[in-house]
mmCIF file of all heavy atoms in Angstrom:
data_model
loop_
_atom_site.group_PDB
_atom_site.id
_atom_site.type_symbol
_atom_site.label_atom_id
_atom_site.label_comp_id
_atom_site.label_asym_id
_atom_site.label_seq_id
_atom_site.Cartn_x
_atom_site.Cartn_y
_atom_site.Cartn_z
ATOM 1 N N SER A 117 -5.382 -0.378 8.437
ATOM 2 C CA SER A 117 -5.128 -1.047 9.719
ATOM 3 C C SER A 117 -5.777 -2.424 9.721
ATOM 4 O O SER A 117 -6.839 -2.617 9.122
ATOM 5 C CB SER A 117 -5.676 -0.204 10.869
ATOM 6 O OG SER A 117 -7.050 0.082 10.656
ATOM 7 N N ASN A 118 -5.134 -3.378 10.374
ATOM 8 C CA ASN A 118 -5.586 -4.759 10.359
ATOM 9 C C ASN A 118 -5.339 -5.414 11.711
ATOM 10 O O ASN A 118 -4.372 -5.076 12.403
ATOM 11 C CB ASN A 118 -4.827 -5.552 9.288
ATOM 12 C CG ASN A 118 -4.887 -4.883 7.937
ATOM 13 O OD1 ASN A 118 -5.920 -4.864 7.307
ATOM 14 N ND2 ASN A 118 -3.780 -4.284 7.507
ATOM 15 N N LEU A 119 -6.192 -6.363 12.066
ATOM 16 C CA LEU A 119 -6.040 -7.166 13.282
ATOM 17 C C LEU A 119 -6.226 -8.632 12.919
ATOM 18 O O LEU A 119 -7.047 -8.963 12.053
ATOM 19 C CB LEU A 119 -7.088 -6.794 14.331
ATOM 20 C CG LEU A 119 -6.925 -5.474 15.059
ATOM 21 C CD1 LEU A 119 -8.160 -5.204 15.920
ATOM 22 C CD2 LEU A 119 -5.677 -5.501 15.932
ATOM 23 N N LYS A 120 -5.481 -9.502 13.605
ATOM 24 C CA LYS A 120 -5.636 -10.933 13.365
ATOM 25 C C LYS A 120 -5.357 -11.682 14.663
ATOM 26 O O LYS A 120 -4.367 -11.411 15.349
ATOM 27 C CB LYS A 120 -4.674 -11.406 12.276
ATOM 28 C CG LYS A 120 -4.796 -12.888 11.968
ATOM 29 C CD LYS A 120 -4.043 -13.296 10.721
ATOM 30 C CE LYS A 120 -2.566 -13.380 10.947
ATOM 31 N NZ LYS A 120 -1.832 -13.999 9.836
ATOM 32 N N LEU A 121 -6.242 -12.610 14.998
ATOM 33 C CA LEU A 121 -6.060 -13.521 16.129
ATOM 34 C C LEU A 121 -6.028 -14.918 15.547
ATOM 35 O O LEU A 121 -6.968 -15.329 14.852
ATOM 36 C CB LEU A 121 -7.207 -13.390 17.132
ATOM 37 C CG LEU A 121 -7.197 -14.386 18.294
ATOM 38 C CD1 LEU A 121 -5.945 -14.214 19.162
ATOM 39 C CD2 LEU A 121 -8.466 -14.258 19.123
ATOM 40 N N SER A 122 -4.953 -15.633 15.802
ATOM 41 C CA SER A 122 -4.847 -16.979 15.242
ATOM 42 C C SER A 122 -4.376 -17.967 16.298
ATOM 43 O O SER A 122 -3.731 -17.596 17.283
ATOM 44 C CB SER A 122 -3.902 -16.995 14.033
ATOM 45 O OG SER A 122 -2.602 -16.630 14.405
ATOM 46 N N PHE A 123 -4.717 -19.202 16.056
ATOM 47 C CA PHE A 123 -4.324 -20.320 16.904
ATOM 48 C C PHE A 123 -3.645 -21.331 16.005
ATOM 49 O O PHE A 123 -4.158 -21.666 14.939
ATOM 50 C CB PHE A 123 -5.555 -20.940 17.582
ATOM 51 C CG PHE A 123 -6.336 -19.941 18.387
ATOM 52 C CD1 PHE A 123 -7.406 -19.252 17.818
ATOM 53 C CD2 PHE A 123 -5.982 -19.660 19.698
ATOM 54 C CE1 PHE A 123 -8.114 -18.316 18.548
ATOM 55 C CE2 PHE A 123 -6.682 -18.724 20.433
ATOM 56 C CZ PHE A 123 -7.752 -18.046 19.850
ATOM 57 N N GLN A 124 -2.476 -21.792 16.437
ATOM 58 C CA GLN A 124 -1.748 -22.731 15.584
ATOM 59 C C GLN A 124 -1.148 -23.872 16.378
ATOM 60 O O GLN A 124 -0.824 -23.735 17.567
ATOM 61 C CB GLN A 124 -0.675 -22.016 14.775
ATOM 62 C CG GLN A 124 0.394 -21.335 15.576
ATOM 63 C CD GLN A 124 1.312 -20.526 14.666
ATOM 64 O OE1 GLN A 124 0.898 -19.976 13.650
ATOM 65 N NE2 GLN A 124 2.571 -20.444 15.043
ATOM 66 N N ARG A 125 -1.032 -24.973 15.679
ATOM 67 C CA ARG A 125 -0.411 -26.173 16.238
ATOM 68 C C ARG A 125 0.182 -26.936 15.068
ATOM 69 O O ARG A 125 -0.519 -27.272 14.117
ATOM 70 C CB ARG A 125 -1.432 -27.032 16.956
ATOM 71 C CG ARG A 125 -0.824 -28.287 17.524
ATOM 72 C CD ARG A 125 -1.843 -29.088 18.271
ATOM 73 N NE ARG A 125 -1.249 -30.356 18.674
ATOM 74 C CZ ARG A 125 -1.883 -31.290 19.301
ATOM 75 N NH1 ARG A 125 -3.150 -31.126 19.633
ATOM 76 N NH2 ARG A 125 -1.279 -32.406 19.616
ATOM 77 N N ASP A 126 1.468 -27.167 15.145
ATOM 78 C CA ASP A 126 2.196 -27.846 14.070
ATOM 79 C C ASP A 126 1.921 -27.150 12.735
ATOM 80 O O ASP A 126 2.184 -25.976 12.601
ATOM 81 C CB ASP A 126 1.852 -29.338 14.037
ATOM 82 C CG ASP A 126 2.157 -30.032 15.367
ATOM 83 O OD1 ASP A 126 3.156 -29.657 16.008
ATOM 84 O OD2 ASP A 126 1.373 -30.916 15.777
ATOM 85 N N SER A 127 1.333 -27.852 11.762
ATOM 86 C CA SER A 127 1.105 -27.257 10.439
ATOM 87 C C SER A 127 -0.314 -26.703 10.278
ATOM 88 O O SER A 127 -0.700 -26.300 9.189
ATOM 89 C CB SER A 127 1.369 -28.311 9.357
ATOM 90 O OG SER A 127 0.461 -29.385 9.501
ATOM 91 N N PHE A 128 -1.079 -26.665 11.353
ATOM 92 C CA PHE A 128 -2.466 -26.202 11.296
ATOM 93 C C PHE A 128 -2.578 -24.818 11.916
ATOM 94 O O PHE A 128 -1.994 -24.539 12.956
ATOM 95 C CB PHE A 128 -3.372 -27.188 12.043
ATOM 96 C CG PHE A 128 -4.810 -26.786 12.051
ATOM 97 C CD1 PHE A 128 -5.612 -27.014 10.952
ATOM 98 C CD2 PHE A 128 -5.364 -26.174 13.162
ATOM 99 C CE1 PHE A 128 -6.944 -26.639 10.953
ATOM 100 C CE2 PHE A 128 -6.692 -25.791 13.175
ATOM 101 C CZ PHE A 128 -7.485 -26.023 12.066
ATOM 102 N N GLN A 129 -3.362 -23.954 11.279
ATOM 103 C CA GLN A 129 -3.597 -22.612 11.811
ATOM 104 C C GLN A 129 -5.034 -22.205 11.496
ATOM 105 O O GLN A 129 -5.539 -22.470 10.401
ATOM 106 C CB GLN A 129 -2.630 -21.609 11.179
ATOM 107 C CG GLN A 129 -2.727 -20.228 11.754
ATOM 108 C CD GLN A 129 -1.751 -19.253 11.104
ATOM 109 O OE1 GLN A 129 -1.472 -19.333 9.924
ATOM 110 N NE2 GLN A 129 -1.254 -18.320 11.888
ATOM 111 N N ALA A 130 -5.694 -21.594 12.464
ATOM 112 C CA ALA A 130 -7.059 -21.101 12.279
ATOM 113 C C ALA A 130 -7.204 -19.811 13.074
ATOM 114 O O ALA A 130 -6.486 -19.586 14.060
ATOM 115 C CB ALA A 130 -8.079 -22.127 12.746
ATOM 116 N N GLY A 131 -8.128 -18.958 12.640
ATOM 117 C CA GLY A 131 -8.309 -17.721 13.378
ATOM 118 C C GLY A 131 -9.319 -16.812 12.731
ATOM 119 O O GLY A 131 -10.054 -17.200 11.819
ATOM 120 N N LEU A 132 -9.320 -15.589 13.213
ATOM 121 C CA LEU A 132 -10.194 -14.580 12.652
ATOM 122 C C LEU A 132 -9.398 -13.313 12.404
ATOM 123 O O LEU A 132 -8.348 -13.086 12.997
ATOM 124 C CB LEU A 132 -11.398 -14.317 13.553
ATOM 125 C CG LEU A 132 -11.136 -13.875 14.980
ATOM 126 C CD1 LEU A 132 -11.468 -12.400 15.098
ATOM 127 C CD2 LEU A 132 -12.039 -14.678 15.900
ATOM 128 N N PHE A 133 -9.920 -12.495 11.492
ATOM 129 C CA PHE A 133 -9.214 -11.277 11.110
ATOM 130 C C PHE A 133 -10.203 -10.149 10.875
ATOM 131 O O PHE A 133 -11.378 -10.391 10.580
ATOM 132 C CB PHE A 133 -8.361 -11.498 9.855
ATOM 133 C CG PHE A 133 -9.169 -11.813 8.632
ATOM 134 C CD1 PHE A 133 -9.649 -10.797 7.807
ATOM 135 C CD2 PHE A 133 -9.451 -13.133 8.295
ATOM 136 C CE1 PHE A 133 -10.402 -11.091 6.686
ATOM 137 C CE2 PHE A 133 -10.209 -13.429 7.170
ATOM 138 C CZ PHE A 133 -10.680 -12.411 6.358
ATOM 139 N N ILE A 134 -9.703 -8.940 11.001
ATOM 140 C CA ILE A 134 -10.427 -7.736 10.599
ATOM 141 C C ILE A 134 -9.452 -6.918 9.757
ATOM 142 O O ILE A 134 -8.423 -6.461 10.265
ATOM 143 C CB ILE A 134 -10.895 -6.894 11.802
ATOM 144 C CG1 ILE A 134 -11.724 -7.723 12.768
ATOM 145 C CG2 ILE A 134 -11.695 -5.683 11.319
ATOM 146 C CD1 ILE A 134 -12.063 -7.001 14.065
ATOM 147 N N ASP A 135 -9.744 -6.785 8.500
ATOM 148 C CA ASP A 135 -8.937 -5.957 7.608
ATOM 149 C C ASP A 135 -9.604 -4.597 7.481
ATOM 150 O O ASP A 135 -10.831 -4.500 7.458
ATOM 151 C CB ASP A 135 -8.822 -6.592 6.219
ATOM 152 C CG ASP A 135 -7.925 -7.814 6.222
ATOM 153 O OD1 ASP A 135 -7.143 -7.983 7.171
ATOM 154 O OD2 ASP A 135 -8.012 -8.612 5.264
ATOM 155 N N ASN A 136 -8.808 -3.556 7.383
ATOM 156 C CA ASN A 136 -9.284 -2.173 7.292
ATOM 157 C C ASN A 136 -10.185 -1.860 8.499
ATOM 158 O O ASN A 136 -11.349 -1.492 8.360
ATOM 159 C CB ASN A 136 -10.005 -1.916 5.974
ATOM 160 C CG ASN A 136 -10.246 -0.442 5.714
ATOM 161 O OD1 ASN A 136 -9.838 0.426 6.490
ATOM 162 N ND2 ASN A 136 -10.926 -0.149 4.625
ATOM 163 N N VAL A 137 -9.622 -2.012 9.669
ATOM 164 C CA VAL A 137 -10.356 -1.874 10.938
ATOM 165 C C VAL A 137 -11.125 -0.557 11.014
ATOM 166 O O VAL A 137 -12.275 -0.528 11.444
ATOM 167 C CB VAL A 137 -9.387 -2.006 12.141
ATOM 168 C CG1 VAL A 137 -10.089 -1.709 13.448
ATOM 169 C CG2 VAL A 137 -8.764 -3.391 12.161
ATOM 170 N N ILE A 138 -10.510 0.541 10.606
ATOM 171 C CA ILE A 138 -11.169 1.845 10.748
ATOM 172 C C ILE A 138 -12.040 2.186 9.530
ATOM 173 O O ILE A 138 -12.574 3.277 9.424
ATOM 174 C CB ILE A 138 -10.147 2.972 11.006
ATOM 175 C CG1 ILE A 138 -9.126 3.069 9.867
ATOM 176 C CG2 ILE A 138 -9.451 2.768 12.342
ATOM 177 C CD1 ILE A 138 -8.169 4.235 9.991
ATOM 178 N N ASN A 139 -12.171 1.230 8.609
ATOM 179 C CA ASN A 139 -12.999 1.381 7.417
ATOM 180 C C ASN A 139 -12.599 2.614 6.596
ATOM 181 O O ASN A 139 -13.433 3.387 6.135
ATOM 182 C CB ASN A 139 -14.485 1.433 7.779
ATOM 183 C CG ASN A 139 -15.362 0.981 6.630
ATOM 184 O OD1 ASN A 139 -14.936 0.212 5.775
ATOM 185 N ND2 ASN A 139 -16.582 1.466 6.606
ATOM 186 N N GLU A 140 -11.306 2.773 6.415
ATOM 187 C CA GLU A 140 -10.743 3.880 5.626
ATOM 188 C C GLU A 140 -11.251 3.806 4.189
ATOM 189 O O GLU A 140 -11.431 2.724 3.639
ATOM 190 C CB GLU A 140 -9.216 3.790 5.648
ATOM 191 C CG GLU A 140 -8.510 4.824 4.830
ATOM 192 C CD GLU A 140 -8.528 6.200 5.450
ATOM 193 O OE1 GLU A 140 -8.217 6.321 6.636
ATOM 194 O OE2 GLU A 140 -8.858 7.152 4.722
ATOM 195 N N ARG A 141 -11.483 4.957 3.588
ATOM 196 C CA ARG A 141 -12.021 5.027 2.227
ATOM 197 C C ARG A 141 -10.962 5.462 1.221
ATOM 198 O O ARG A 141 -11.267 6.142 0.260
ATOM 199 C CB ARG A 141 -13.187 6.014 2.174
ATOM 200 C CG ARG A 141 -14.283 5.707 3.124
ATOM 201 C CD ARG A 141 -15.133 4.606 2.593
ATOM 202 N NE ARG A 141 -16.263 4.401 3.497
ATOM 203 C CZ ARG A 141 -17.090 3.420 3.397
ATOM 204 N NH1 ARG A 141 -16.945 2.541 2.443
ATOM 205 N NH2 ARG A 141 -18.071 3.289 4.246
ATOM 206 N N GLY A 142 -9.715 5.076 1.431
ATOM 207 C CA GLY A 142 -8.623 5.524 0.582
ATOM 208 C C GLY A 142 -8.721 5.069 -0.863
ATOM 209 O O GLY A 142 -9.359 4.075 -1.184
ATOM 210 N N ASN A 143 -8.066 5.819 -1.727
ATOM 211 C CA ASN A 143 -7.993 5.519 -3.148
ATOM 212 C C ASN A 143 -6.657 4.834 -3.417
ATOM 213 O O ASN A 143 -5.601 5.459 -3.333
ATOM 214 C CB ASN A 143 -8.116 6.808 -3.956
ATOM 215 C CG ASN A 143 -8.046 6.573 -5.441
ATOM 216 O OD1 ASN A 143 -8.151 5.453 -5.917
ATOM 217 N ND2 ASN A 143 -7.843 7.642 -6.184
ATOM 218 N N THR A 144 -6.692 3.551 -3.763
ATOM 219 C CA THR A 144 -5.466 2.796 -3.964
ATOM 220 C C THR A 144 -4.848 3.008 -5.337
ATOM 221 O O THR A 144 -3.661 2.814 -5.521
ATOM 222 C CB THR A 144 -5.707 1.291 -3.768
ATOM 223 O OG1 THR A 144 -6.636 0.827 -4.747
ATOM 224 C CG2 THR A 144 -6.244 1.012 -2.374
ATOM 225 N N PHE A 145 -5.690 3.408 -6.325
ATOM 226 C CA PHE A 145 -5.177 3.619 -7.673
ATOM 227 C C PHE A 145 -6.177 4.482 -8.424
ATOM 228 O O PHE A 145 -7.363 4.168 -8.456
ATOM 229 C CB PHE A 145 -4.976 2.270 -8.386
ATOM 230 C CG PHE A 145 -4.281 2.379 -9.710
ATOM 231 C CD1 PHE A 145 -2.984 2.851 -9.792
ATOM 232 C CD2 PHE A 145 -4.917 2.001 -10.868
ATOM 233 C CE1 PHE A 145 -2.330 2.951 -11.014
ATOM 234 C CE2 PHE A 145 -4.281 2.089 -12.100
ATOM 235 C CZ PHE A 145 -2.985 2.558 -12.166
ATOM 236 N N SER A 146 -5.736 5.557 -9.041
ATOM 237 C CA SER A 146 -6.631 6.516 -9.708
ATOM 238 C C SER A 146 -6.843 6.195 -11.172
ATOM 239 O O SER A 146 -6.574 7.004 -12.052
ATOM 240 C CB SER A 146 -6.064 7.920 -9.588
ATOM 241 O OG SER A 146 -6.215 8.398 -8.307
ATOM 242 N N PHE A 147 -7.311 5.014 -11.446
ATOM 243 C CA PHE A 147 -7.542 4.665 -12.832
ATOM 244 C C PHE A 147 -8.699 3.685 -12.913
ATOM 245 O O PHE A 147 -8.790 2.754 -12.147
ATOM 246 C CB PHE A 147 -6.287 4.056 -13.456
ATOM 247 C CG PHE A 147 -6.402 3.879 -14.938
ATOM 248 C CD1 PHE A 147 -6.444 4.973 -15.767
ATOM 249 C CD2 PHE A 147 -6.470 2.620 -15.474
ATOM 250 C CE1 PHE A 147 -6.555 4.816 -17.141
ATOM 251 C CE2 PHE A 147 -6.574 2.451 -16.846
ATOM 252 C CZ PHE A 147 -6.611 3.550 -17.682
ATOM 253 N N GLY A 148 -9.573 3.916 -13.837
ATOM 254 C CA GLY A 148 -10.716 3.045 -14.072
ATOM 255 C C GLY A 148 -10.954 2.979 -15.560
ATOM 256 O O GLY A 148 -10.115 2.519 -16.317
ATOM 257 N N ASN A 149 -12.059 3.519 -16.008
ATOM 258 C CA ASN A 149 -12.383 3.566 -17.419
ATOM 259 C C ASN A 149 -11.611 4.726 -18.051
ATOM 260 O O ASN A 149 -11.886 5.883 -17.769
ATOM 261 C CB ASN A 149 -13.891 3.770 -17.592
ATOM 262 C CG ASN A 149 -14.310 3.734 -19.037
ATOM 263 O OD1 ASN A 149 -13.526 3.985 -19.952
ATOM 264 N ND2 ASN A 149 -15.570 3.418 -19.263
ATOM 265 N N PRO A 150 -10.649 4.447 -18.928
ATOM 266 C CA PRO A 150 -9.809 5.519 -19.469
ATOM 267 C C PRO A 150 -10.576 6.543 -20.293
ATOM 268 O O PRO A 150 -10.156 7.685 -20.410
ATOM 269 C CB PRO A 150 -8.784 4.780 -20.325
ATOM 270 C CG PRO A 150 -9.424 3.480 -20.657
ATOM 271 C CD PRO A 150 -10.308 3.141 -19.492
ATOM 272 N N PHE A 151 -11.729 6.171 -20.848
ATOM 273 C CA PHE A 151 -12.477 7.093 -21.691
ATOM 274 C C PHE A 151 -13.265 8.119 -20.880
ATOM 275 O O PHE A 151 -13.807 9.064 -21.423
ATOM 276 C CB PHE A 151 -13.380 6.311 -22.644
ATOM 277 C CG PHE A 151 -12.572 5.413 -23.534
ATOM 278 C CD1 PHE A 151 -12.545 4.051 -23.321
ATOM 279 C CD2 PHE A 151 -11.790 5.941 -24.553
ATOM 280 C CE1 PHE A 151 -11.765 3.223 -24.126
ATOM 281 C CE2 PHE A 151 -11.011 5.127 -25.353
ATOM 282 C CZ PHE A 151 -10.995 3.763 -25.143
ATOM 283 N N TYR A 152 -13.315 7.944 -19.564
ATOM 284 C CA TYR A 152 -13.964 8.913 -18.682
ATOM 285 C C TYR A 152 -12.956 9.637 -17.792
ATOM 286 O O TYR A 152 -13.334 10.352 -16.886
ATOM 287 C CB TYR A 152 -15.010 8.225 -17.804
ATOM 288 C CG TYR A 152 -16.241 7.834 -18.565
ATOM 289 C CD1 TYR A 152 -16.421 6.535 -18.991
ATOM 290 C CD2 TYR A 152 -17.211 8.782 -18.870
ATOM 291 C CE1 TYR A 152 -17.544 6.172 -19.704
ATOM 292 C CE2 TYR A 152 -18.340 8.436 -19.585
ATOM 293 C CZ TYR A 152 -18.502 7.124 -19.996
ATOM 294 O OH TYR A 152 -19.617 6.777 -20.704
ATOM 295 N N LEU A 153 -11.681 9.429 -18.049
ATOM 296 C CA LEU A 153 -10.638 9.975 -17.192
ATOM 297 C C LEU A 153 -10.720 11.488 -17.047
ATOM 298 O O LEU A 153 -10.538 12.023 -15.972
ATOM 299 C CB LEU A 153 -9.256 9.569 -17.729
ATOM 300 C CG LEU A 153 -8.067 9.808 -16.835
ATOM 301 C CD1 LEU A 153 -8.231 9.061 -15.518
ATOM 302 C CD2 LEU A 153 -6.794 9.357 -17.522
ATOM 303 N N ASN A 154 -11.031 12.203 -18.123
ATOM 304 C CA ASN A 154 -11.105 13.665 -18.042
ATOM 305 C C ASN A 154 -12.519 14.152 -17.701
ATOM 306 O O ASN A 154 -12.742 15.345 -17.570
ATOM 307 C CB ASN A 154 -10.615 14.308 -19.331
ATOM 308 C CG ASN A 154 -11.494 13.963 -20.516
ATOM 309 O OD1 ASN A 154 -12.292 13.036 -20.452
ATOM 310 N ND2 ASN A 154 -11.330 14.694 -21.602
ATOM 311 N N VAL A 155 -13.481 13.247 -17.526
ATOM 312 C CA VAL A 155 -14.865 13.615 -17.250
ATOM 313 C C VAL A 155 -15.211 13.455 -15.772
ATOM 314 O O VAL A 155 -15.870 14.291 -15.183
ATOM 315 C CB VAL A 155 -15.829 12.766 -18.110
ATOM 316 C CG1 VAL A 155 -17.277 13.066 -17.779
ATOM 317 C CG2 VAL A 155 -15.547 12.975 -19.587
ATOM 318 N N GLN A 156 -14.765 12.366 -15.182
ATOM 319 C CA GLN A 156 -15.085 12.112 -13.780
ATOM 320 C C GLN A 156 -13.891 11.485 -13.075
ATOM 321 O O GLN A 156 -13.035 10.884 -13.711
ATOM 322 C CB GLN A 156 -16.307 11.211 -13.644
ATOM 323 C CG GLN A 156 -16.088 9.790 -14.122
ATOM 324 C CD GLN A 156 -17.370 8.978 -14.097
ATOM 325 O OE1 GLN A 156 -18.433 9.506 -14.372
ATOM 326 N NE2 GLN A 156 -17.268 7.709 -13.787
ATOM 327 N N ALA A 157 -13.867 11.655 -11.758
ATOM 328 C CA ALA A 157 -12.766 11.112 -10.959
ATOM 329 C C ALA A 157 -12.750 9.589 -11.067
ATOM 330 O O ALA A 157 -13.792 8.943 -11.053
ATOM 331 C CB ALA A 157 -12.918 11.531 -9.506
ATOM 332 N N GLN A 158 -11.578 9.051 -11.210
ATOM 333 C CA GLN A 158 -11.387 7.602 -11.284
ATOM 334 C C GLN A 158 -10.697 7.165 -10.004
ATOM 335 O O GLN A 158 -9.769 7.821 -9.546
ATOM 336 C CB GLN A 158 -10.505 7.254 -12.481
ATOM 337 C CG GLN A 158 -11.004 7.764 -13.803
ATOM 338 C CD GLN A 158 -12.156 6.952 -14.336
ATOM 339 O OE1 GLN A 158 -12.072 5.741 -14.425
ATOM 340 N NE2 GLN A 158 -13.236 7.617 -14.672
ATOM 341 N N GLU A 159 -11.131 6.062 -9.465
ATOM 342 C CA GLU A 159 -10.435 5.553 -8.296
ATOM 343 C C GLU A 159 -10.705 4.081 -8.104
ATOM 344 O O GLU A 159 -11.690 3.543 -8.592
ATOM 345 C CB GLU A 159 -10.796 6.323 -7.026
ATOM 346 C CG GLU A 159 -12.189 6.126 -6.534
ATOM 347 C CD GLU A 159 -12.425 6.867 -5.224
ATOM 348 O OE1 GLU A 159 -12.019 8.038 -5.104
ATOM 349 O OE2 GLU A 159 -12.994 6.258 -4.325
#
Side-chain angles (χ1 to χ4, degrees):
S117 55
N118 308 289
L119 287 173
K120 181 169 76 170
L121 174 62
S122 62
F123 303 93
Q124 61 187 33
R125 179 178 174 182
D126 302 324
S127 62
F128 179 80
Q129 185 180 35
L132 58 106
F133 65 89
I134 305 172
D135 288 342
N136 192 3
V137 173
I138 59 175
N139 205 26
E140 177 74 48
R141 304 282 185 188
N143 180 14
T144 63
F145 188 63
S146 286
F147 189 68
N149 184 336
F151 300 106
Y152 287 100
L153 192 59
N154 64 345
V155 176
Q156 68 186 36
Q158 304 284 308
E159 69 177 45

